[in-house]
Amino acid sequence: MTPPPPQPPSPGPNPAADSAAEPRSGPGPLVVLFGATAGALGSDLGSDETDLILLVWQVVEPRSRQVGTLHKSLVRAEAALSPQCREASGLSADSLARAEPLDKVLQQFSQLVSGDVALLGGGPYMLCTDGQQLLRQVLHPEASRKNLPLPDIFFSFYDLRREFHVQHPGTCPARDLTVASMAQDLGLETDATEDDFGVWEVKTMVAVILHLLEGPGGQLFSKPEVVKQKYETGPCPDPVPCTHSSKAEVVDSETVVRARGLPWQSSDQDVARFFKGLNIARGGVALCLNAQGRRNGEALIRFVDSEQRDLALRRHKHHMGVRYIEVYKATGEEFVKIAGGTSLEVARFLSREDQVILRLRGLPFSAGPADVLGFLGPECPVTGGADGLLFVRHPDGRPTGDAFALFACEELAQAALRRHKGMLGKRYIELFRSTAAEVQQVLNRYASTPLLPTLNAPLLPIPFPLAAGTGRDCVRLRGLPYTATIEDILSFLGEAAADIRPHGVHMVLNQQGRPSGDAFIQMTSAERALAAAQRCHKKMMKERYVEVVPCSTEEMSRVLMGGTLGRSGMSPPPCKLPCLSPPAYATFQATPALIPTETAALYPSSALLPAPRVPGAPTPVAYYPGPATQFYMNYTAYYPSPPVSPTTLGYLTTPSAALASAPTSVLSQPGALVRMQGIPYTAGMKDLLSVFQAYQLAPDDYTSLIPVGDPSRTVLQAPKEWVCL
């Protein structure tokens, strides 16, 4: 179909005469491009992850005001057409099945455009589209999914809406403009009888361009939009050459999103590929780590501007392989907390451009740069030798067994990865791909965390037990708003809230004590739990849908103790013990201690007694534990705080053997005991006490090591567990 070129709305000078007299400055040829997918149209184009089915284009020569032939090509698509697309396009599944695949259509596009441009005078040409969705949300993501290389012409383009808004700033925002509204604002007459899908849009866009070129066009079509071809790694925000941390840098919250559900082996390049077509800031992919320092399937992504962020939010539930990825808004503060730099040492390590970062885990504590370089071998040299290694250390300087290494290219990194689980001394070493954000996050964790972190919760037993069982009489709520309260959950469950057991709502908290978006509900029976899940699954709470699935009490307890429960099954908590309070241990009745009023408010009044009032003394402001209340020494303090709510926090009991020989003055001090597990059989007292060199121990006459082990062990066998008093 070759329609006559649209005439400009007002007569102008003879273009041929002008071109013969003197060359006119201005943009080169423009390829006006329109496309459609098998799904949503308009502003939602590309948001449903459907394939491209149509391309319509026409070349415009701005200097001579000439237009080329209008072309229309169908693209083969296996997906069914949506009712909206079928009605608007008039296409059928049979016509699309006979069309050429995308790679063939792109080849034809390049050939036809080159021919039309040559007929109109030649020169470099540029694409011009209505909005940014066609290229950023449709063409680039689909080409990435199908591993199709795109020509360079598709990495820069003019957005007609922005060009129109430059000349007519008094109209609505550029993102709200349409082809029809631009033509109406300019008073252009369009062919209302044109019913060929896509043709009317291209003809009208050409008419709008010609009208804009008649006005003052000094700033028109001079600054194209750019699609980054490659994600740039590096520190983000950029480190500054001074002594303060780059965490002080401000990141705009309108440019950050959170992606959830990533495969655990995903790298920053995989995340950047998921957002292909959108411009991510340099080093803007920050993979989040869990309490054990492993990736938790989440990432924070920083884009170059708010418009890119808004387009990224439309990729909610798009797929990475077979997994769908959830995309939510995030804040700049969250991004800086994860990706912010820690020191000049990290800044210098990450200052090298275009380096591939690998993480080495499980190094012997005595390993130095020479040992690591020898382990990697001469076939995969580290950039800068020892300067390309960064060892992670505790605040007191002790090594953690982690290190990062820089490699100049992908080939060298691949060679190093083949050393995965190779032996260094008597230990095997794990190697993983890493990112600048992960380097900073790991250094942040060790720089800000004490060697033996303690829990802030009071050392009191759980006022109600969590009964073990495999019956699925609980439900798990996943995807709760972070601001959700217990009252919100009860309102969300509706009638099912009447079937909740007493103290049966358990909010799961993260490492920082903030809501994680998960909660567990104990129901009166498995039937009630199943009915609640069927009634409330994917029901909305504060503009978010919540997944409600049945689970067992055992699974709930595992998660509340620090394990994870995902779609792929259940993983154990960091503690190797099957439960936090082994029944083989005896309880310990500590000397009554005063409990502050704010702490006492967390527990039932039946468990506490008011402090006795002395005549003439002021009203007591503290409480003693009741006669049935027992204190428990917390032996899991050296593990990361489990993601549980304060009402479900458990503590290990004190072994009776340890208490029998412990000084009475020590036992009267809550929290004076620390349990050490996994001690080598050959370790002596000096080895054990060296672990606590950064902490204040009790006086020498109170410091002792008490073995905790199997009573049947002979005296010639040293115990594997000790209690340090």
Side-chain angles (χ1 to χ4, degrees):
M1 179 179 296
T2 308
Q7 299 297 324
S10 60
N14 188 336
D18 287 347
S19 60
E22 59 179 354
R24 299 181 57 184
S25 61
L30 301 177
V31 182
V32 181
L33 182 64
F34 173 84
T37 67
L41 302 175
S43 61
D44 294 330
L45 185 69
S47 61
D48 50 6
E49 208 178 6
T50 53
D51 288 346
L52 188 73
I53 63 170
L54 175 69
L55 281 179
V56 185
W57 69 91
Q58 189 173 22
V59 178
V60 179
E61 218 302 319
R63 298 182 182 91
S64 63
R65 308 295 197 267
Q66 292 180 335
V67 296
T69 305
L70 189 142
H71 302 276
K72 179 177 180 179
S73 293
L74 296 181
V75 185
R76 183 186 303 171
E78 300 178 357
L81 295 175
S82 66
Q84 179 188 10
C85 180
R86 188 183 299 109
E87 180 181 358
S89 65
L91 299 174
S92 63
D94 294 337
S95 61
L96 295 178
R98 295 191 298 267
E100 296 288 347
L102 180 60
D103 56 343
K104 297 293 185 181
V105 173
L106 293 179
Q107 292 178 7
Q108 296 174 3
F109 172 83
S110 298
Q111 295 172 0
L112 293 174
V113 168
S114 299
D116 290 347
V117 171
L119 291 176
L120 296 178
Y125 55 89
M126 189 80 68
L127 297 179
C128 181
T129 62
D130 172 35
Q132 305 197 27
Q133 286 87 348
L134 176 59
L135 290 180
R136 294 193 184 274
Q137 296 286 71
V138 177
L139 198 55
H140 280 279
E142 183 174 348
S144 177
R145 292 195 302 268
K146 298 180 178 179
N147 293 319
L148 299 178
L150 288 177
D152 293 341
I153 183 62
F154 292 101
F155 288 88
S156 58
F157 65 99
Y158 291 114
D159 183 354
L160 182 57
R161 301 184 185 186
R162 288 192 173 182
E163 302 300 329
F164 180 89
H165 197 267
V166 168
Q167 197 174 87
H168 299 80
T171 58
C172 60
R175 66 179 63 186
D176 298 331
L177 292 171
T178 63
V179 175
S181 65
M182 288 187 289
Q184 183 178 1
D185 291 341
L186 296 177
L188 300 180
E189 295 183 2
T190 58
D191 187 2
T193 62
E194 181 63 68
D195 58 354
D196 195 356
F197 183 61
V199 173
W200 180 89
E201 285 79 1
V202 171
K203 288 183 177 180
T204 307
M205 291 169 64
V206 170
V208 170
I209 292 173
L210 293 175
H211 190 284
L212 293 177
L213 292 173
E214 293 299 327
Q219 297 180 350
L220 288 178
F221 303 105
S222 60
K223 187 177 181 181
E225 304 290 329
V226 177
V227 180
K228 288 187 176 182
Q229 297 195 32
K230 183 181 178 181
Y231 166 66
E232 300 175 332
T233 60
C236 182
D238 292 332
V240 290
C242 58
T243 56
H244 71 273
S245 169
S246 62
K247 281 191 173 185
E249 300 289 331
V250 177
V251 175
D252 185 4
S253 293
E254 297 300 316
T255 62
V256 183
V257 301
R258 178 186 296 272
R260 295 178 57 183
L262 300 170
W264 65 268
Q265 70 274 25
S266 298
S267 66
D268 56 346
Q269 297 293 343
D270 297 321
V271 176
R273 185 175 182 180
F274 174 79
F275 290 103
K276 189 69 174 179
L278 304 180
N279 293 341
I280 300 176
R282 179 175 181 268
V285 178
L287 300 172
C288 301
L289 307 180
N290 60 16
Q292 290 76 41
R294 302 177 185 271
R295 297 171 185 172
N296 63 0
E298 295 190 8
L300 292 172
I301 302 94
R302 179 193 182 195
F303 295 91
V304 296
D305 55 43
S306 60
E307 185 171 6
Q308 307 287 312
R309 193 283 302 266
D310 293 341
L311 292 174
L313 292 173
R314 291 183 174 270
R315 300 198 185 181
H316 179 60
K317 290 203 169 181
H318 284 203
H319 287 76
M320 180 185 290
V322 297
R323 297 175 64 105
Y324 74 86
I325 309 301
E326 301 173 352
V327 183
Y328 303 102
K329 291 182 180 180
T331 65
E333 180 182 358
E334 291 174 322
F335 182 84
V336 172
K337 184 179 297 184
I338 297 299
T342 57
S343 64
L344 287 179
E345 180 186 15
V346 178
R348 285 193 296 267
F349 178 77
L350 299 175
S351 62
R352 297 179 175 89
E353 298 289 340
D354 299 327
Q355 297 292 310
V356 182
I357 306 175
L358 296 186
R359 180 179 180 183
L360 293 83
R361 193 165 60 196
L363 295 171
F365 294 150
S366 59
D371 301 311
V372 176
L373 295 176
F375 167 77
L376 294 173
E379 63 276 7
C380 43
V382 176
T383 302
D387 294 336
L389 296 174
L390 178 64
F391 289 87
V392 184
R393 301 182 182 276
H394 286 290
D396 63 349
R398 294 190 303 112
T400 64
D402 279 23
F404 295 92
L406 296 176
F407 296 89
C409 61
E410 186 66 28
E411 290 74 16
L412 294 178
Q414 288 287 352
L417 287 173
R418 288 195 284 271
R419 297 285 294 160
H420 178 58
K421 292 195 174 180
M423 299 300 294
L424 177 57
K426 297 182 179 180
R427 304 196 61 171
Y428 71 88
I429 310 302
E430 298 175 305
L431 284 90
F432 306 95
R433 291 180 178 274
S434 188
T435 66
E438 186 173 13
V439 174
Q440 293 165 334
Q441 192 175 172
V442 171
L443 269 294
N444 289 347
R445 172 173 280 109
Y446 283 104
S448 59
T449 305
L451 295 180
L452 297 175
T454 57
L455 297 173
N456 295 326
L459 294 179
L460 287 176
I462 303 174
F464 46 90
L466 291 174
T470 58
R472 305 181 71 82
D473 57 349
C474 302
V475 292
R476 181 189 186 190
L477 276 62
R478 184 174 181 271
L480 294 169
Y482 295 139
T483 58
T485 62
I486 293 181
E487 289 74 16
D488 296 327
I489 293 177
L490 298 179
S491 176
F492 170 80
L493 294 175
E495 298 178 357
D499 301 320
I500 299 177
R501 291 185 181 181
H503 305 290
V505 180
H506 307 282
M507 303 289 290
V508 182
L509 306 182
N510 61 17
Q511 172 74 6
Q512 290 75 34
R514 299 176 180 175
S516 65
D518 281 20
F520 287 90
I521 311 295
Q522 291 179 281
M523 310 299 289
T524 55
S525 65
E527 292 76 13
R528 297 295 185 182
L530 179 60
Q534 293 175 342
R535 185 183 303 112
C536 301
H537 184 56
K538 292 196 175 181
K539 184 179 174 183
M540 300 299 294
M541 178 190 293
K542 295 183 178 179
E543 300 180 353
R544 292 192 63 175
Y545 76 88
V546 179
E547 297 178 356
V548 184
V549 293
C551 68
S552 66
T553 309
E554 178 184 4
E555 293 171 332
M556 178 191 70
S557 300
R558 286 289 184 96
V559 176
L560 296 181
M561 287 165 53
T564 59
L565 177 61
R567 293 182 177 87
S568 59
M570 181 171 55
S571 63
C575 181
K576 295 182 180 180
L577 298 177
C579 59
L580 286 177
S581 298
Y585 290 157
T587 58
F588 161 50
Q589 181 69 39
T591 304
L594 289 176
I595 304 175
T597 306
E598 58 272 14
T599 302
L602 297 174
Y603 295 91
S605 57
S606 59
L608 305 173
L609 295 176
R613 184 172 182 179
V614 179
T619 303
V621 293
Y623 296 83
Y624 285 107
T629 305
Q630 297 172 328
F631 280 101
Y632 294 80
M633 297 299 102
N634 179 16
Y635 293 150
T636 60
Y638 53 91
Y639 287 113
S641 300
V644 299
S645 59
T647 56
T648 59
L649 194 60
Y651 300 90
L652 287 173
T653 52
T654 305
S656 56
L659 301 176
S661 57
T664 305
S665 57
V666 173
L667 296 181
S668 63
Q669 305 176 29
L673 306 180
V674 174
R675 181 180 185 179
M676 305 172 65
Q677 290 180 303
I679 301 299
Y681 295 135
T682 58
M685 179 179 294
K686 291 184 178 180
D687 300 320
L688 300 179
L689 294 180
S690 65
V691 177
F692 304 97
Q693 59 184 351
Y695 296 87
Q696 182 177 1
L697 298 176
D700 293 340
D701 55 340
Y702 291 156
T703 304
S704 60
L705 298 173
I706 303 174
V708 179
D710 189 353
S712 62
R713 191 187 302 270
T714 65
V715 294
L716 298 179
Q717 293 176 298
K720 194 177 180 181
E721 299 182 4
W722 299 78
V723 173
C724 182
L725 304 177

